[in-house]
Amino acid sequence: MDRTSEDQIDKKQKIIHIDMDAFYASVEQRDHPEFKGKPVIVGGRPEKRGVVATASYEARRYGIHSAMASAQAIKLCPNAIFVKPRFELYKHVSSQIREIFFRYTDLIEPLSLDEAYLDVTEDKLQKGSAIAIAKQIKEAIKTELKLTASAGISTSKFIAKIASDMEKPNGLTFIGPSKIEAFVAQLPVQKFFGVGKVTARRMNALNIFTGADLKALSKNQLITYFGKSGNFYYNIVRGIDQQKVQANRVTKSVGAEDTFSKDLQTLEQLEEELLSLAERVTNRLKTKKLAGCTITIKIKFSDFHQITRNFSTTKPIDSAKDIFDISRNLLQNALLKRQYSIRLLGISISKFRSIQFDPPPSRQQLFLF
Ligand code: DCP
Ligand code: MG
């Protein structure tokens, strides 16, 4: 073992990953007692070709999940209760959750409204035990906010995040240092950080299906096959993960994308999809209080060939209409005079300008930026 990896193993971080259970839907069930125990879908209406933002666990039993077309969801569960999202409220609840986190640590890296990493290697209350802290956080969320969260606890962000998903809802999963290598060994490669569908397919073609298969390869082989990521895989299957919790991380781009269950072949379908993407991007921008100058669209064709097109404005924008208009132009130009069948469409916005209307960031605002 080289010196750096020894150091990394010696200095064990205590990381908690918290993820709220069926977040939007749970808030709606909390505020509408008549929805308790019922299949609740938060999202766009089926007749307006809306999509599911999330579904309560009762609705998930019917196979309903985030990003599914609401029209399909209602077919799976005709009795489902549809609720329009109340983003302002979810944002507020998110800040209440973070206030609870701040009792224990300032090292908080939010990933979205309902999810964050906490570094409690040195916690403010000197509890010492990450498990005890996770339990208390879950308890506070339960008693103060009447909601449930799932927690994953480990010595790295990567493992803590996987752990929080393992016993959902209302779960608490600890993966201690002595268990990490065995845990990573049995993990399917799809679960690895940065491994999307394409990389997973490549790995599978090389007969690599799990962490153990990755571990059987030398560092050189991994780097030959996967470039820079090879190094990351080499370390991670040995329980070494250098990623630090990054409090006040700066957002560089905000986006949304969808892979369609059936490839789209008409401009009309694509424009409807684009509108829904533009709305989602806008919601995310609003959550983060950002506006940006560069709009990028991503198009993946049915043969997996992918293109991006972008356009920059002089003034920052954040409205769904502006984002949609620009994206539509980009899309129309990109598809001009060509046959198409499209499997994925995405919009992202970047080059943020500070339209930060608020006074200089107080502690509570820091995590929004
Ligand atoms: N969300 C969304 N569109 C998506 C995915 C999520 O609008 N495609 C929103 C709604 C979710 C929230 O983000 O409530 C958090 O996303 P999660 O992936 O954490 O899902 P949930 O919290 O709903 O469920 P769980 O974490 O219990 O699986
Ligand atoms: Mg969640």
Short mmCIF file of all heavy atoms in Angstrom, two decimals, residues 19-24 53-54 57 60 66-67 114 168 284, ligand 1:
data_model
loop_
_atom_site.label_atom_id
_atom_site.label_comp_id
_atom_site.label_asym_id
_atom_site.label_seq_id
_atom_site.Cartn_x
_atom_site.Cartn_y
_atom_site.Cartn_z
N ASP A 19 -31.66 11.37 3.18
CA ASP A 19 -32.56 11.55 2.04
C ASP A 19 -34.00 11.37 2.54
O ASP A 19 -34.33 10.35 3.13
CB ASP A 19 -32.23 10.51 0.97
CG ASP A 19 -32.98 10.76 -0.33
OD1 ASP A 19 -34.21 10.95 -0.29
OD2 ASP A 19 -32.33 10.75 -1.39
N MET A 20 -34.81 12.40 2.30
CA MET A 20 -36.20 12.33 2.77
C MET A 20 -36.96 11.26 1.98
O MET A 20 -36.68 11.02 0.81
CB MET A 20 -36.88 13.69 2.55
CG MET A 20 -36.20 14.83 3.29
SD MET A 20 -36.21 14.60 5.07
CE MET A 20 -37.95 14.84 5.41
N ASP A 21 -37.94 10.65 2.65
CA ASP A 21 -38.73 9.59 2.00
C ASP A 21 -39.88 10.23 1.21
O ASP A 21 -40.63 11.04 1.77
CB ASP A 21 -39.30 8.65 3.06
CG ASP A 21 -38.19 8.01 3.89
OD1 ASP A 21 -37.15 7.66 3.31
OD2 ASP A 21 -38.37 7.87 5.12
N ALA A 22 -40.00 9.84 -0.05
CA ALA A 22 -41.07 10.34 -0.94
C ALA A 22 -41.36 11.81 -0.64
O ALA A 22 -42.51 12.18 -0.35
CB ALA A 22 -42.32 9.48 -0.76
N PHE A 23 -40.35 12.63 -0.74
CA PHE A 23 -40.38 13.96 -0.13
C PHE A 23 -41.65 14.77 -0.43
O PHE A 23 -42.43 15.06 0.48
CB PHE A 23 -39.12 14.73 -0.54
CG PHE A 23 -39.00 16.08 0.11
CD1 PHE A 23 -39.27 16.24 1.47
CD2 PHE A 23 -38.62 17.20 -0.61
CE1 PHE A 23 -39.17 17.48 2.08
CE2 PHE A 23 -38.51 18.44 -0.02
CZ PHE A 23 -38.78 18.59 1.33
N TYR A 24 -41.86 15.15 -1.68
CA TYR A 24 -43.02 16.03 -1.94
C TYR A 24 -44.33 15.35 -1.50
O TYR A 24 -45.21 15.99 -0.93
CB TYR A 24 -43.15 16.37 -3.44
CG TYR A 24 -42.03 17.13 -4.09
CD1 TYR A 24 -42.09 17.44 -5.46
CD2 TYR A 24 -40.92 17.54 -3.36
CE1 TYR A 24 -41.06 18.13 -6.08
CE2 TYR A 24 -39.90 18.23 -3.99
CZ TYR A 24 -39.97 18.51 -5.35
OH TYR A 24 -38.96 19.19 -5.98
N ALA A 53 -43.59 13.87 -10.41
CA ALA A 53 -42.39 14.35 -9.70
C ALA A 53 -42.02 13.31 -8.66
O ALA A 53 -40.88 12.88 -8.57
CB ALA A 53 -42.65 15.70 -9.05
N THR A 54 -43.00 12.89 -7.88
CA THR A 54 -42.77 11.75 -6.99
C THR A 54 -44.10 11.13 -6.62
O THR A 54 -45.16 11.72 -6.86
CB THR A 54 -41.98 12.13 -5.74
OG1 THR A 54 -41.49 10.91 -5.13
CG2 THR A 54 -42.82 12.87 -4.72
N TYR A 57 -45.25 6.05 -1.12
CA TYR A 57 -44.89 4.63 -1.17
C TYR A 57 -46.11 3.77 -1.49
O TYR A 57 -45.98 2.72 -2.14
CB TYR A 57 -44.19 4.22 0.14
CG TYR A 57 -42.71 4.54 0.04
CD1 TYR A 57 -42.24 5.84 0.23
CD2 TYR A 57 -41.79 3.57 -0.32
CE1 TYR A 57 -40.90 6.16 0.08
CE2 TYR A 57 -40.43 3.87 -0.47
CZ TYR A 57 -40.00 5.16 -0.26
OH TYR A 57 -38.67 5.46 -0.43
N ARG A 60 -46.25 3.71 -5.14
CA ARG A 60 -45.13 2.99 -5.77
C ARG A 60 -45.42 1.50 -5.90
O ARG A 60 -44.87 0.82 -6.74
CB ARG A 60 -43.84 3.20 -4.97
CG ARG A 60 -43.36 4.62 -5.10
CD ARG A 60 -42.06 4.86 -4.37
NE ARG A 60 -41.90 6.29 -4.16
CZ ARG A 60 -40.77 6.87 -3.81
NH1 ARG A 60 -39.69 6.14 -3.60
NH2 ARG A 60 -40.71 8.18 -3.64
N SER A 66 -41.00 8.40 -10.08
CA SER A 66 -40.64 9.73 -10.57
C SER A 66 -40.34 9.67 -12.07
O SER A 66 -39.77 8.68 -12.54
CB SER A 66 -39.38 10.24 -9.87
OG SER A 66 -39.63 10.46 -8.52
N ALA A 67 -40.69 10.74 -12.75
CA ALA A 67 -40.39 10.92 -14.18
C ALA A 67 -41.27 10.08 -15.12
O ALA A 67 -41.14 10.16 -16.32
CB ALA A 67 -38.92 10.67 -14.50
N ASP A 114 -34.07 17.61 -0.86
CA ASP A 114 -34.39 16.59 0.16
C ASP A 114 -33.20 15.71 0.54
O ASP A 114 -33.37 14.70 1.19
CB ASP A 114 -35.57 15.73 -0.31
CG ASP A 114 -35.16 14.50 -1.09
OD1 ASP A 114 -34.22 14.60 -1.90
OD2 ASP A 114 -35.77 13.45 -0.87
N LYS A 168 -34.97 2.12 2.79
CA LYS A 168 -36.01 3.11 2.65
C LYS A 168 -37.38 2.45 2.71
O LYS A 168 -37.50 1.33 2.23
CB LYS A 168 -35.86 3.82 1.30
CG LYS A 168 -35.27 5.18 1.43
CD LYS A 168 -35.21 5.89 0.12
CE LYS A 168 -34.72 7.29 0.32
NZ LYS A 168 -35.58 8.17 1.07
N ARG A 284 -35.84 24.43 -10.76
CA ARG A 284 -34.54 24.20 -10.11
C ARG A 284 -33.77 25.50 -9.95
O ARG A 284 -33.11 25.73 -8.95
CB ARG A 284 -33.74 23.16 -10.89
CG ARG A 284 -34.35 21.79 -10.66
CD ARG A 284 -33.79 20.67 -11.48
NE ARG A 284 -34.76 19.56 -11.39
CZ ARG A 284 -34.70 18.44 -12.06
NH1 ARG A 284 -33.71 18.23 -12.89
NH2 ARG A 284 -35.61 17.51 -11.92
N1 DCP B 1 -38.15 14.93 -8.06
C1 DCP B 1 -38.68 15.42 -9.25
N2 DCP B 1 -38.45 14.78 -10.44
C2 DCP B 1 -37.70 13.65 -10.47
C3 DCP B 1 -37.15 13.14 -9.27
C4 DCP B 1 -37.41 13.80 -8.08
O1 DCP B 1 -39.36 16.45 -9.22
N3 DCP B 1 -37.48 13.02 -11.62
C5 DCP B 1 -38.46 15.62 -6.78
C6 DCP B 1 -39.63 15.01 -6.08
C7 DCP B 1 -39.05 14.22 -4.95
C8 DCP B 1 -37.78 14.98 -4.64
O2 DCP B 1 -37.36 15.55 -5.88
O3 DCP B 1 -39.94 14.15 -3.83
C9 DCP B 1 -36.69 14.12 -4.04
O4 DCP B 1 -36.29 13.12 -4.96
P1 DCP B 1 -35.90 11.68 -4.49
O5 DCP B 1 -35.23 11.02 -5.64
O6 DCP B 1 -35.17 11.72 -3.19
O7 DCP B 1 -37.29 10.92 -4.30
P2 DCP B 1 -38.29 10.95 -3.10
O8 DCP B 1 -37.79 11.71 -1.93
O9 DCP B 1 -39.63 11.38 -3.60
O10 DCP B 1 -38.42 9.41 -2.72
P3 DCP B 1 -37.35 8.45 -2.00
O11 DCP B 1 -36.14 9.29 -1.71
O12 DCP B 1 -38.03 7.97 -0.76
O13 DCP B 1 -37.09 7.36 -2.97
#
